[in-house]
Amino acid sequence: MPHDGWHPHDDEPHAHHHHHHGPPTRRAVLAAATLLPFGSASAQTADAAQRIAEAANRFLASLDTAQRLRTLIAFEADNRLDWHYIPRSRSGLSLGEMQPAQAAAARALFATVLNDRGLELLDGVRLLEGVLREQQGSFRDPARYYVSIFGTPGRFPWGWRFEGHHLSLNVTLPAAGHVAVTPFFAGAHPATVRDGPNRGFRLLGTSEDLARQIMAGLTDAQRQSAIIADRSFGEIVASPQRERDLGRPRGLDLGQMDAAQRALVEALMDRFLGTLAPDLVVAQKKRVMDQGLAAFRFAWAGSLTPGQAHYFRVHGPATVIEHDNTQNGANHIHAVWRDLAADFGRDALADHYRRQPHR
């Protein structure tokens, strides 16, 4: 499996070692060019900030005054941090309230942060909401997904959110050169569509398959380290306001894995990280590498038998990716990617406020 710079197996996985011994490889040159230290603004991230702001302003320009008032929320509002994935009333403007051209402008905004696979993930969540509508009635609504814009696009700090049942994508631009995309939640109910025109559709199935492949490829001793509970947890641990419940990373150290085993964990993390636009993927993978990939742990809870309740996660010093499939007879997935230091752009925002005292 080609790594393309994701994991420099020929080098220390810790970020403090920026030097390379011997003549630089093409990968090292590319890494030096694109992966600046996380604290500095790369030209790529600056370009990202500009394209995101331009798309947000085009979207706002497509709205009428009443719609714009619904969409715009103060950056300082508590609402910005009030994310969730349950069916509930939400602020912002729903897709169902938009004209086709407005919905297209909203999608163009999403496409400044997500690649095609990321956009397909959003579509898949809404497709499953349509499946639930067929089964459960009209309170399930694929049009009830809301866009909110916090602050003024292009004036730091600002951000936006796209959210509805089983989806929460939180994008924050806290300061020049920083784009935060977490918390990023996606759910799948049903996890496997059992009948109808979408029969066999598994929105988050690849993640489960990779995690099972990881477990199958471990030695008995490694598997014993990886399993942290006999039963699944029934829910992700890092749900809103509960992230402290995670505690320290548990499970099997990636440093105890061989290259092939670690490659599968990277592929599993890539199911979230790899949904981003190319320049943002680079920044987020650098973010992971800076934490030292060997310090990450892979953990499993619950049954290893397909079709039974299970839970798994990859957990590093700041980054956590969780996946739980317990509810509705283990056919209902909650998955989330969080950065416990930089969710909502917190780390860069703190620096920004320290440097620029606000009234």
Side-chain angles (χ1 to χ4, degrees), residues 266-281:
E266 290 168 23
L268 178 59
M269 295 173 75
D270 204 56
R271 297 311 297 169
F272 262 116
L273 275 66
T275 59
L276 303 182
D279 49 358
L280 299 182
V281 172

Side-chain angles (χ1 to χ4, degrees), residues 72-94:
L72 284 167
I73 300 169
F75 185 81
E76 292 74 23
D78 292 343
N79 184 299
R80 186 175 71 86
L81 307 179
D82 182 22
W83 70 285
H84 221 301
Y85 46 86
I86 57 173
R88 67 172 188 178
S89 61
R90 289 177 158 86
S91 58
L93 188 68
S94 74

Side-chain angles (χ1 to χ4, degrees), residues 5 7-13 19-21 23-28 262:
H7 186 287
H9 293 292
D10 52 357
D11 209 344
E12 279 285 326
H19 55 273
H20 289 259
H21 304 290
T25 59
R26 176 175 170 273
R27 181 193 293 168
R262 220 161 35 224

